[in-house]
Amino acid sequence: VQLQASGGGLVQDGGSLRLSCAASGRTVSTYATAWFRHAPGKEREFVAGFWRRGATYYKDSVKGRFTISRDIANNMMYLQMNSLKPEDTAVYYCAAASSNIILSSVTRPEAYTHWGQGTQVTVSS
């Protein structure tokens, strides 16, 4: 599966952005898919993801602010980000697994075999 992320940009503290991930080669609902982010000086971290039967999971610090969604018909995945904070600044990546993964692996980058190219999100204070 090939992934193409887009939608990043520069936004002020409290602003919103919507990231998109276009998938080709396989439907986005086949296996787990997720959004990760990587900020300078930090490790890549899980932000939000889909597991089996559409179950969604979020990093604690984005709960209530970010919403992951997908459009299976158009093979797209989205991340709506509201109430953005400077600490959300990072390069955001969409990722997809190539087989069924256990729940405890949903938040682990090593569980995902396919990655988009990343899109920069910068939140100014």
Side-chain angles (χ1 to χ4, degrees):
V1 61
Q2 290 76 47
L3 303 172
Q4 180 79 26
S6 61
L10 173 64
V11 64
Q12 289 188 332
D13 190 353
S16 297
L17 281 173
R18 186 195 196 204
L19 304 184
S20 299
C21 179
S24 60
R26 193 189 75 204
T27 60
V28 294
S29 60
T30 303
Y31 300 119
T33 52
W35 288 96
F36 285 79
R37 66 188 182 188
H38 192 186
K42 297 184 179 180
E43 293 187 354
R44 185 172 298 196
E45 64 178 6
F46 172 83
V47 177
F50 282 103
W51 190 52
R52 296 178 186 175
R53 301 183 183 88
T56 57
Y57 297 89
Y58 295 90
K59 176 181 173 63
D60 285 346
S61 64
V62 308
K63 286 179 181 177
R65 300 189 298 122
F66 291 11
T67 303
I68 190 171
S69 63
R70 61 190 181 187
D71 178 347
I72 296 173
N74 290 298
N75 226 15
M76 297 289 294
M77 183 172 68
Y78 303 98
L79 185 68
Q80 177 66 43
M81 304 185 295
N82 298 328
S83 302
L84 281 161
K85 304 175 181 181
E87 52 263 42
D88 294 317
T89 295
V91 177
Y92 284 70
Y93 298 88
C94 54
S98 57
S99 62
N100 285 320
I101 62 174
I102 59 176
L103 179 57
S104 61
S105 293
V106 168
T107 61
R108 299 175 181 174
E110 58 267 26
Y112 298 84
T113 52
H114 302 283
W115 293 82
Q117 83 288 4
T119 184
Q120 176 71 46
V121 172
T122 303
V123 185
S124 63
S125 57

